[in-house]
Amino acid sequence: MEYSAENIQVLEGLEAVRKRPSMYIGSTDSYGLHHLVYEVVDNSIDEVLAGTCKNIKVIIHKDSSVTVEDDGRGIPVDIHPEYKKSAVEIVLTMLHAGGKFDKKSYKVSGGLHGVGVSVVNALSEYLEVTVKRDGSIYYQRYEKGDPVSDLKIIGETDQSGTIIKFSPDKEIFPEIDFHFDTMATRLRELAFLNKGLKIELTDERKNTKKSFKYAGGIVSFVKHLNRNKECLSKEPLYIYGEKDNTIVEVAMQYTLSYTENIFTFANNINTKEGGTHLSGLKTAITRAFNTYALQNKFIKDNEKIAGEDCREGLSAVISVKLNEPQFEGQTKTKLGNSDVKGIVDSIVFEKLTYFLEENPDDARRIIEKILSAARAREAARKARELARRKTAFEVTTLPGKLADCSETDPSKCELYLVEGDSAGGSAKQGRDRTFQAILPLRGKILNVEKARLDKILKNEEIKTMITAIGTGIAEEFDISKLRYDKIIIMTDADVDGSHIRTLLLTFFFRYMKPLVENGHIYAAMPPLYKIKKGKEKYYAYTDQELEKILEKIGNAEIQRYKGLGEMNPEQLWETTMDPKTRIVKKIISEDLVEADETFTILMGAKVEPRKMFIYEHAAEVENLDV
Ligand code: 0RA
């Protein structure tokens, strides 16, 4: 079918979008801001899926405007007979106006994605569109969603494509600071998912540029995920299959690590909440390894390997493409189409079984790793059971070291995890005991990246922490049992302190991830200096702050705090614990690929990359954002 403006369905105007932006882009914070870029890029990706686009360029300009350019067909320019407007204008000014695509083109839709470029237009101070199509270059400008010029021809061309430049409206977005790394990660992901597509990201504010193009597609993705890990096979296994108009692609590779790392996508959308494709993949993996292990006498007739053991150390990417995807869940990132489960299961089971049969050496290495995971899990279960039975006979289940608060409503409570007994003592004296609880942590905290659950559960510091927090961990994690709204890590501002903080964050990230995702984890920021001049005293939390204060007040007595222990209880309260004056940093996991990488590099097995990372990121490691 030839495209014509008539095929565009028109629904409603844009006032609704400016009135309630969050309904369309999720929020007006950093997440929503970046969503604007992804929305435009998604439209270019639709051209990629239609086979008509090979290059996408994204430019962040100095004034925080953004340009997205593609070499697709270009937004149609013909006039709609009823609306008497160009298709470009309809696409940019009317909600849900989009071409009626051939269903085979797997257009992105549903959830927050695919709301349309009109939403971006509505939320932009200005938007300029340039279309190269049918020999001409067309141009039109909009402000806050309304056209301020006609669509006019400004030149000739033998190319096709669309260029959209927009400037997010400061009336809508309190912050218009685009993060290069956040955008780079999503664009890299899109390049992995669309084999051969070239995406360039330029940041004119910092004169940096990155270019992504992967001939290997999701196989390159898995190699990227595993590039700092030791792998059990030379290459990731690649699976491709098609059934009932659904395309299934999987790349998977086992590593020596203990964590499972599966990324799932449906029509290029990162389905962070998983869904039917993930269930199908998991079922197939469990089934294939159980079948193979039984047939080859790795296990007995009455034995069964649990699914989670089959996934220990596995890095995998699954990407499905289907018509009319349904997105469900809290953030609309859970694939709901029920038939996808069976389709993925049958394709993956068949291909994985074939791989195991054809590659007995790889198969044996993986099965041995899986069986040792199963033994470790059994040991962990026994350890947990023992711990449960023990606590059942104890009067108080809370650890003795914990100085709890008196408030019983968890939403008002805070838990300070304090490095060392002496700082712990000051914190106990200085705190507001109605809502602040103190748990001093002593000695070495286990590196959870290098140990399995059974060993982790034997560690005293970790056991105490788990009991105090109340939620349990891993599969048994239950956020409704959380005893404190804020868990604040308070460590010295030195290398040891930052190491302890990283270890704690690694633990939370691996075993209590929802605490990180839901913003319950914080890092306290104790001051670095105390400045005294006569009766006046000041605290500086950074070197720059110290300079500023000294500029203002001139000569003064400066004390550098080497540790929390140097502060008396009142000072500790005033500088680091009083909600009115303290600085706490919320730990966020903006992006899981980067976060996993960061933890693997900082804490994982391979030594060389770790050195590199700390060297290159020495400054950031001090305030690690996961
Ligand atoms: C409507 C219909 C067609 C393409 C597009 C819109 C389109 C939109 C954007 C936004 C950014 N880049 C874009 N590229 C294309 C189908 C066109 C046809 O069938 O010729």
Side-chain angles (χ1 to χ4, degrees), residues 20 34 39 44 46 61 69 71 94 153 168 253 280 285 311 314 320 354 368 408 417 420 473 485 585 597 611:
R20 303 175 76 187
H34 287 81
E39 186 56 50
S44 303
D46 283 339
H61 300 288
E69 174 171 0
D71 60 354
M94 291 182 165
I153 293 181
Q253 187 177 33
I285 291 174
R311 299 190 299 273
L314 172 66
V320 299
Y354 181 77
E368 276 166 6
T408 50
L417 301 172
I473 60 169
D485 179 66
K585 224 176 138 180
E597 205 172 284
K611 274 197 199 144

Side-chain angles (χ1 to χ4, degrees), residues 46-82:
D46 283 339
E47 291 291 296
V48 176
L49 293 176
T52 51
C53 169
K54 290 194 160 53
N55 294 282
I56 298 174
K57 286 183 191 161
V58 179
I59 305 164
I60 312 170
H61 300 288
K62 282 211 169 80
D63 62 352
S64 282
S65 58
V66 170
T67 295
V68 178
E69 174 171 0
D70 69 52
D71 60 354
R73 286 167 293 191
I75 307 179
V77 291
D78 56 324
I79 304 293
H80 192 285
E82 195 180 317

Side-chain angles (χ1 to χ4, degrees), residues 2-13:
E2 264 294 287
Y3 171 87
S4 83
E6 255 179 298
N7 296 338
I8 290 177
Q9 288 183 332
V10 178
L11 292 175
E12 45 177 316

Side-chain angles (χ1 to χ4, degrees), residues 3 40 43-44 47 70 73-76 91 99 101 133 162 164:
Y3 171 87
V40 181
N43 279 272
S44 303
E47 291 291 296
D70 69 52
R73 286 167 293 191
I75 307 179
V91 165
F101 285 76
R133 206 180 153 109
T162 305
I164 288 176

Side-chain angles (χ1 to χ4, degrees), residues 465-482:
M465 212 162 62
I466 297 171
T467 320
I469 293 171
T471 54
I473 60 169
E475 295 83 46
E476 286 160 12
F477 181 90
D478 177 358
I479 201 152
S480 72
K481 298 209 174 107
L482 181 61

